[in-house]
Amino acid sequence: MTTNDSAQTTPKAPAKDPWDLPDVSGLVVGVLGGTGPQGKGLAYRFARAGQKVILGSRAAERARAAADELGLGIEGADNAECARRSDVVIVAVPWDGHGATLEALREDLAGKLVIDCVNPLGFDKKGAYALKPEEGSAAEQAAALLPDSRVTAAFHHLSAVLLADPEVEEIDTDVMVLGESRADTDLVQALAARVPGMRGVFAGRLRNAHQVESLVANLISTNRRYKAHAGLRVTDV
Ligand SMILES: NC(=O)c1ccc[n+]([C@@H]2O[C@H](COP(=O)([O-])OP(=O)(O)OC[C@H]3O[C@@H](n4cnc5c(N)ncnc54)[C@H](OP(=O)(O)O)[C@@H]3O)[C@@H](O)[C@H]2O)c1
């Protein structure tokens, strides 16, 4: 038997089913900048799905007021406490404050699964356009600033208006999930799947986050033309 023959007879481990996702129902979800429309909307949807949620803010009292408004057992805290008490931390601050916020929270975010949903965009009279962060993307800036965290990127293409509307039962959209480790992107996909109608789809490593963040400029143009809250579906997966 040649070496080649023996390689052919070695049984291969079966490929892992990409839809076999972990149970994330026990994880605490924190939202930095959780007093804004995106953070508050995500917090509402996850809490409505039964997840424990902590809203973060630069001012604890603002976070507590927003949490009280939402109900569903959501708590409010300053961003540092929100990060420390959560297993998964969504970054939902404006691009302007992104770097400084994460730099200040480096220790609080150590060991955490961080999900960046920040879209670096500019606006002028022609509409929205993608900015070009020095690190490549907001997500890559987060990864550079948080060497002790597990940084992923997701939830860029959601409409905060739909997230916040209690009459909307299902959020009809796919969520593109990016990251360096399959275990982490599987967790984020599983979290997305907690929201009825929503599905997390793996979309590559963080070096490809720029396109995903930038695509929001296109969706904003679509929304303006059609007076819509456009979402995305990835077909044939
Ligand atoms: N809105 C959407 O539909 C949508 C959809 C997908 C992704 N996103 C992304 O999600 C992020 C948040 O969007 P948003 O519309 O919710 O934004 P936002 O209302 O402008 O900001 C969210 C919160 O961030 C805090 N914040 C404001 N300036 C800050 C700064 N310089 N440093 C640190 N924190 C600051 C504020 O909370 P406190 O004052 O309480 O700290 C604010 O309530 C953005 O990066 C956006 O690209 C938004």
Side-chain angles (χ1 to χ4, degrees):
M1 190 186 272
T2 65
T3 316
N4 202 21
D5 288 339
S6 85
Q8 277 169 11
T9 53
T10 308
K12 264 191 172 175
K16 188 177 178 295
D17 177 355
W19 298 113
D20 180 14
L21 300 171
D23 176 8
V24 293
S25 58
L27 299 183
V28 178
V29 178
V31 188
L32 306 177
T35 55
Q38 167 78 345
K40 227 164 129 179
L42 284 171
Y44 171 64
R45 288 292 157 179
F46 290 131
R48 187 167 144 154
Q51 212 77 37
K52 171 72 195 168
V53 177
I54 303 176
L55 281 189
S57 164
R58 289 170 295 180
E61 64 275 18
R62 272 205 296 279
R64 282 195 279 269
D68 289 349
E69 202 187 301
L70 291 174
L72 300 168
I74 299 174
E75 288 182 58
D78 63 43
N79 282 330
E81 186 186 333
C82 165
R84 281 196 301 275
R85 290 180 55 201
S86 303
D87 304 300
V88 177
V89 183
I90 300 173
V91 185
V93 299
W95 168 239
D96 278 358
H98 183 259
T101 300
L102 296 184
E103 201 161 18
L105 296 174
R106 181 175 298 170
E107 285 178 21
D108 306 293
L109 288 168
K112 309 290 179 177
L113 177 65
V114 172
I115 309 176
D116 204 292
C117 71
V118 171
N119 303 311
L121 296 178
F123 293 86
D124 63 16
K125 59 182 188 319
K126 293 182 184 172
Y129 61 96
L131 300 175
K132 296 190 173 101
E134 206 181 300
E135 298 82 355
S137 61
E140 287 165 289
Q141 183 185 77
L145 290 170
L146 304 173
D148 301 323
S149 305
R150 295 136 59 205
V151 176
T152 61
F155 303 117
H156 305 88
H157 305 137
L158 303 178
S159 156
V161 175
L162 296 182
L163 291 177
D165 185 346
E167 302 293 316
V168 175
E169 299 281 340
E170 296 201 352
I171 302 294
D172 177 22
T173 198
D174 282 342
V175 169
M176 301 183 94
V177 178
L178 299 95
E180 300 302 318
S181 132
R182 178 157 186 174
D184 293 342
T185 54
D186 277 0
L187 277 176
V188 180
Q189 285 180 253
L191 189 63
R194 296 278 287 153
V195 178
M198 207 183 264
R199 186 178 70 148
V201 178
F202 176 66
R205 291 182 180 256
L206 294 185
R207 67 181 182 175
N208 283 317
H210 174 66
Q211 299 90 283
V212 173
E213 294 170 3
S214 302
L215 193 60
V216 174
N218 305 79
L219 289 177
I220 290 172
S221 305
T222 303
N223 287 340
R224 286 186 178 173
R225 175 71 53 91
Y226 298 98
K227 309 278 179 274
H229 302 295
L232 282 184
R233 281 291 183 203
V234 181
T235 59
D236 202 35
V237 286

